[in-house]
Amino acid sequence: MKKVLLTAVALIAAAATIEAKPRFDWSLTFVPEEGGVNFEKITEDADRVADYDGALVRHLTRFFGNSGKLTLDWWVIPQIGISPDGKKLGYINEKNGVTNVMVKDAKKGGASIQRTFRSNVEGFSWSPDGKTLCFTEVRGGHHGVYLIPADQGSVVRQISSSNDNDYCGVMPKDGNTIYFHRGEGYANYSLWSYDRKTNLFSNYSRGMTPCPIPGDRNSVYCARFTDRGESEIWRVNFQTGVEECILSQIGKSFSTPQLSPDGKWLLVTGSSRAEKEKIDNTDIFVIRTDGTQFTQLTYHPGDDLSPIWSPDGHSIFFLSQRGSAKRVFNVWRMDFNM
């Protein structure tokens, strides 16, 4: 799995400096910078939220064997999902080396129900009508996009061909189109769509992790690599050809944009650094869709990533190592009041 991370959809962040590992109580739920924010733990360690044997986030790895540059990598495909009615939470479970989508009550927690019955599921999203899960899986050495009913049954529909590497399928409200990104070499990805009625594929532009914009079928938000190996957030209009950079910072990377229900904010995972503890990690950020009011939301030295909005836009669900002395990932919820 680690090889897949580095050669498929890893996100390379800023160069970092190796320092002695500091002492920190990882079991803390929040740090002073997060004062006033309510955090709620949704899953438990027994739910076995997948970390792909430590590959979900990798710290201080050498970039192409270059001893002078060290990088922070993370898996960019969404790892959790919320049903459109806000009642169900989905996450990737890992057990005995097998990963699948599990679903539980988003508010009460409790027992989980398995919704995919595969061997190597790496991420998923919910369709806007709540009837379908669109997931990414590795089969035969290739990544592909697949569909399965969200509530019952195990019949799977394959969208990708067996020879391509496709990731991060997402469906806009029309329910017919599936957007995804295709890998065409290291840090080289392009945006595609599949029409479920005509079975036709369309290629648009470079980018990864597309985020459709309701009411604008010709535009998406996405992430793009720079020539420095860092990632930026862009808005791309396929019809007019207009491409706008929404978020970019030299020395940092941002991935997997998620548009708020009111259409005003983008939620992203980004590279960060806990200055007090001197730890390079991933944190959660928001920025307005016009590129203003960029704000860091989490500061815990543990990794926070893969955030998604609640249907009402007042909460954010995300993966985090916070609250775990063993740095185990769980799903957490936080308030959003901006």
Side-chain angles (χ1 to χ4, degrees):
M1 185 63 196
K2 290 184 179 180
K3 183 178 180 182
V4 173
L5 179 73
L6 288 175
T7 59
V9 291
L11 186 62
I12 309 301
T17 303
I18 295 179
E19 300 190 31
K21 186 176 290 186
R23 294 182 180 179
F24 180 76
D25 184 2
W26 298 91
S27 63
L28 293 177
T29 299
F30 60 90
V31 293
E33 295 90 336
E34 299 171 339
V37 179
N38 179 44
F39 291 94
E40 179 185 5
K41 190 178 181 182
I42 306 298
T43 62
E44 301 297 334
D45 290 0
D47 289 316
R48 300 180 64 89
V49 176
D51 184 22
Y52 304 126
D53 295 325
L56 192 58
V57 180
R58 296 183 60 193
H59 295 268
L60 303 178
T61 57
R62 301 207 179 270
F63 182 58
F64 289 135
N66 183 345
S67 60
K69 186 174 183 180
L70 299 165
T71 62
L72 176 69
D73 310 341
W74 66 90
W75 200 241
V76 301
I77 302 174
Q79 301 292 298
I80 56 178
I82 295 291
S83 61
D85 61 9
K87 295 181 179 180
K88 298 177 182 178
L89 165 74
Y91 63 94
I92 303 295
N93 163 274
E94 181 178 24
K95 186 176 182 180
N96 299 324
V98 175
T99 53
N100 276 290
V101 177
M102 305 290 285
V103 175
K104 66 164 49 189
D105 191 296
K107 295 183 178 180
K108 298 179 182 178
S112 297
I113 299 174
Q114 186 169 336
R115 281 311 311 131
T116 61
F117 305 87
R118 315 290 281 184
S119 60
N120 202 352
V121 177
E122 295 185 341
F124 75 102
S125 64
W126 232 293
S127 65
D129 63 7
K131 297 180 179 180
T132 306
L133 298 180
C134 186
F135 65 92
T136 301
E137 185 188 19
V138 181
R139 294 182 65 84
H142 291 272
H143 290 74
V145 174
Y146 302 82
L147 303 178
I148 191 171
D151 294 321
Q152 60 183 355
S154 59
V155 177
V156 172
R157 180 178 180 183
Q158 181 173 337
I159 301 302
S160 306
S161 75
S162 58
N163 297 319
D164 294 313
N165 281 299
D166 298 335
Y167 313 84
C168 201
V170 61
M171 302 170 66
K173 287 189 175 181
D174 67 14
N176 177 62
T177 307
I178 300 174
Y179 289 105
F180 60 93
H181 70 258
R182 177 167 292 175
E184 299 169 341
Y186 185 82
N188 184 16
Y189 308 101
S190 58
L191 301 174
W192 288 71
S193 72
Y194 172 75
D195 190 302
R196 299 175 69 185
K197 292 180 180 178
T198 64
N199 294 322
L200 293 177
F201 288 88
S202 300
N203 178 217
Y204 300 104
S205 66
R206 65 186 183 91
M208 61 183 181
T209 59
C211 173
I213 302 174
D216 185 354
R217 59 179 300 175
N218 296 309
S219 299
V220 298
Y221 292 98
C222 66
R224 282 180 172 177
F225 279 111
T226 69
D227 56 7
R228 299 184 302 273
E230 297 158 1
S231 181
E232 304 169 326
I233 304 300
W234 286 71
R235 179 169 52 235
V236 180
N237 187 301
F238 305 138
Q239 185 177 50
T240 65
V242 174
E243 300 182 345
E244 305 167 86
C245 183
I246 306 298
L247 176 57
S248 175
Q249 286 190 8
I250 294 177
K252 289 183 175 291
S253 280
F254 303 96
S255 77
T256 325
Q258 300 286 311
L259 185 63
S260 61
D262 62 8
K264 297 179 180 180
W265 295 92
L266 287 174
L267 183 63
V268 300
T269 299
S271 56
S272 186
R273 184 171 178 83
E275 292 297 339
K276 181 179 179 181
E277 294 80 12
K278 305 299 181 185
I279 297 174
D280 294 278
N281 65 335
T282 54
D283 274 310
I284 295 170
F285 304 80
V286 290
I287 188 170
R288 287 193 176 273
T289 53
D290 63 2
T292 63
Q293 210 169 338
F294 176 64
T295 305
Q296 184 169 344
L297 298 181
T298 65
Y299 292 84
H300 196 283
D303 288 302
D304 298 323
L305 75 159
S306 199
I308 57 171
W309 298 98
S310 64
D312 62 10
H314 297 316
S315 298
I316 294 169
F317 292 83
F318 62 102
L319 287 182
S320 180
Q321 294 174 313
R322 66 182 63 228
S324 170
K326 296 181 179 180
R327 300 170 72 172
V328 172
F329 278 100
N330 273 291
V331 179
W332 288 74
R333 188 199 67 82
M334 64 182 296
D335 297 331
F336 181 75
N337 300 311
M338 294 180 64

